[in-house]
């Protein structure tokens, strides 16, 4: 599977909110197992980590430790270069996919068409998100060095 955008995110991108606005001060969750069939679908697998700035505590509705993006260029938007996107493992397992979520309260575990979500695969290479380590252990830090989304021209 590859990148999947939720109904709400697609509507936001076509409206005035845009991709950056939908995910400002958001969070990325990393799960074991296969990616759901679409970003509106319920979570599959075990939550292994929550990526925030500096692996800090995150509270929906608060900007503290939420993830941000730099200004887009050439149809590409990338993680804010000034931010260290990190997580500490919260369970043991192998990461298979991610869910990027906006800052609104979104349990993210059930079927939902009212929140901005983006799902994608995780691998050491060849994934939508590549990490140097996909085998998580509780308390082990993992950093997201590169994350970007490209809006195709055609």
């Amino acid at each position: 599977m590859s990148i999947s955008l939720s109904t709400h995110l697609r509507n936001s991108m076509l409206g005035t909110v845009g991709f950056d606005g939908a995910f400002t001060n958001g969070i990325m969750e990393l799960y074991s197992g296969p990616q759901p069939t679409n970003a509106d679908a319920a979570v599959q697998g075990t939550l292994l980590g929550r990526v925030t700035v500096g692996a800090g505590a995150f509270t929906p509705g608060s900007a503290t430790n939420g993830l941000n993006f730099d200004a887009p260029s050439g149809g590409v938007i990338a993680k804010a270069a000034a931010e260290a996107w990190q997580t500490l493992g919260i369970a043991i397992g192998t990461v298979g996919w991610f869910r990027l979520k906006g800052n609104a309260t979104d349990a993210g575990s059930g079927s939902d068409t009212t929140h901005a979500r983006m799902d994608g695969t995780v691998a050491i290479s060849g994934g939508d998100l590549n990490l140097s380590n996909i085998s998580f252990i509780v308390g082990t830090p993992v950093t997201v060095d590169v994350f970007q989304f490209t809006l195709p021209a055609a």
Side-chain angles (χ1 to χ4, degrees):
M1 189 153 260
S2 60
I3 294 293
S4 175
L5 309 178
S6 69
T7 300
H8 185 79
L9 176 59
R10 290 181 289 131
N11 290 340
S12 294
M13 289 172 66
L14 293 172
T16 59
V17 175
F19 182 93
D20 186 34
F23 290 121
T24 296
N25 297 313
I27 188 170
M28 179 184 286
E29 295 178 337
L30 304 171
Y31 291 90
S32 66
Q35 173 182 342
T37 56
N38 62 66
D40 291 329
V43 164
Q44 298 178 165
T46 301
L47 177 62
L48 301 176
R50 286 186 180 92
V51 178
T52 61
V53 174
F58 175 81
T59 302
S62 168
T64 304
N65 300 319
L67 306 175
N68 293 287
F69 292 88
D70 284 333
S73 176
V76 178
I77 193 165
K79 74 176 259 325
E83 293 181 352
W85 287 21
Q86 299 174 318
T87 184
L88 296 176
I90 59 174
I92 296 171
T94 302
V95 180
W97 67 281
F98 72 86
R99 175 165 281 174
L100 181 64
K101 300 184 337 183
N103 188 274
T105 300
D106 175 6
S109 58
S111 179
D112 183 338
T113 60
T114 63
H115 288 94
R117 297 173 173 176
M118 181 171 102
D119 293 353
T121 59
V122 178
I124 292 176
S125 67
D128 299 314
L129 171 64
N130 296 319
L131 299 175
S132 60
N133 179 18
I134 60 171
S135 297
F136 274 40
I137 299 171
V138 176
T140 300
V142 174
T143 300
V144 175
D145 294 317
V146 176
F147 183 79
Q148 64 186 27
F149 176 70
T150 302
L151 193 60

